[in-house]
Each structure stands twice: as structure tokens, then as C-alpha cells.
Amino acid sequence: MIVAGMAVFFVGTESAVATAPDAPRGNAIALASGFFYALMLAGLRWLARGKERSAGIATVALGNLFACVAALPMALPVKAAPKDYLPVILYLGVVQIGVAYVCLTRAMRHVPAIEAATLLMIEPAMNPVWTWLVDGERPAAWSLAGGAVILSATLANTWRQARKAVRL
């Protein structure tokens, strides 16, 4: 159902806008990103099965270092930025990325990869809603439908797992 929900995102055709001038290219990048995200989750699950407890977080740290080095040339040169940006950047780096990855790598030892992936799909499925609420960008009907399928599948799976746990 998750795959079906993601497929619905790609059914409709969007007209070019300033933030998305080449929708097919963006969709291809999104598909590649999802594929590599799935590989990352499977790899973290594989590392969690090992004896070295810090292997997952070390791998995530190294991956983020590689991402930083790859993206740094596009961020340079840094122009003057208001001083109130620094706390926001530190918060996003430490809490949104750092704490989230610590929690994720610790949980992967106890949660099957498919369940972790399903729960983590809630955030990207909600992106059309967040962009509408925060930025006023109206999501396409297909985007809303895809998000609804993913959220429904996630809730149904969680409900099914909870019922199974109660029976045991």
C-alpha cells in the first residue's frame, strides 16, 4: 500500500512553477531518493543486528559528513547572515538531524526495517499538507490522494500490529 500511495504521487501532471520548473526531473530525483533511503534503512537494520552497538550512528555520521562535503561547494561563499540564523541552524543540525538519527539507530535494533520505514513514511506523505499550511502552495489532488493512501496504510498496519500484540 505504501508503494501504491507513492505511485499515486506520479500519476498527475503538474504545470511548471517557480519552485518546480521541471516536474518530471523532480519526480525522478524523488524516486532515486526514495530508493537510496530504503537502502539506508535496510543497511541500518543490518548494522543493528551486529555486535558493535555504535556502528549505525558511526555510519550515519560518516554519511552526513560525505553529504556535507558534496554540498559545501554549492553553499560557498557564505554571505553575511543575520545573527539570529545561527540558533536555528544549530537547532536543525543538532535536534532535527542529530537527535533523530540517534533515536533511529537505537530503535533499529528493536524494530523491523519495514515497520521503521512505514512509520518514517508519515513525514514525507504529509509534505503536501505542510506546504499548503505553511506556504500556501495548493497540493494537487493526486498528491493528497497519495498521502491519504500512505497514511491509511500506516494506520492500518499499526492497528493490525497492536491487535496482534494484544493476542500474544
Side-chain angles (χ1 to χ4, degrees):
M1 289 303 292
I2 299 294
V3 172
M6 292 302 292
V8 172
F9 280 104
F10 302 102
V11 170
T13 57
E14 301 282 332
S15 57
V17 294
T19 57
D22 187 0
R25 181 174 172 229
N27 288 344
I29 292 170
L31 280 172
S33 175
F35 173 74
F36 287 109
Y37 185 65
L39 287 178
M40 180 204 67
L41 287 175
L44 286 176
R45 179 69 178 147
W46 179 75
L47 287 170
R49 291 183 184 159
K51 295 187 185 341
E52 183 61 43
R53 295 181 80 78
S54 62
I57 197 69
T59 303
V60 167
L62 185 61
N64 279 294
L65 181 63
F66 286 156
C68 177
V69 168
L72 192 58
M74 294 176 277
L76 295 176
V78 176
K79 306 285 190 229
K83 292 179 182 173
D84 57 344
Y85 281 19
L86 185 61
V88 173
I89 291 170
L90 288 173
Y91 169 80
L92 292 173
V94 172
V95 176
Q96 185 184 22
I97 302 297
V99 173
Y101 270 127
V102 167
C103 293
L104 177 64
T105 56
R106 286 188 178 182
M108 290 305 285
R109 182 177 292 276
H110 309 286
V111 179
I114 189 68
E115 190 171 325
T118 302
L119 292 172
L120 292 169
M121 286 304 296
I122 291 172
E123 189 270 332
M126 289 297 293
N127 274 344
V129 175
W130 301 138
T131 57
W132 171 60
L133 291 174
V134 173
D135 197 35
E137 181 180 324
R138 296 192 64 175
W142 287 111
S143 296
L144 292 174
V149 169
I150 291 169
L151 289 174
S152 298
T154 302
L155 291 173
N157 182 53
T158 303
W159 178 72
R160 188 177 56 88
Q161 294 292 334
R163 286 188 52 158
K164 190 185 294 183
V166 168
R167 284 188 217 145
L168 297 175

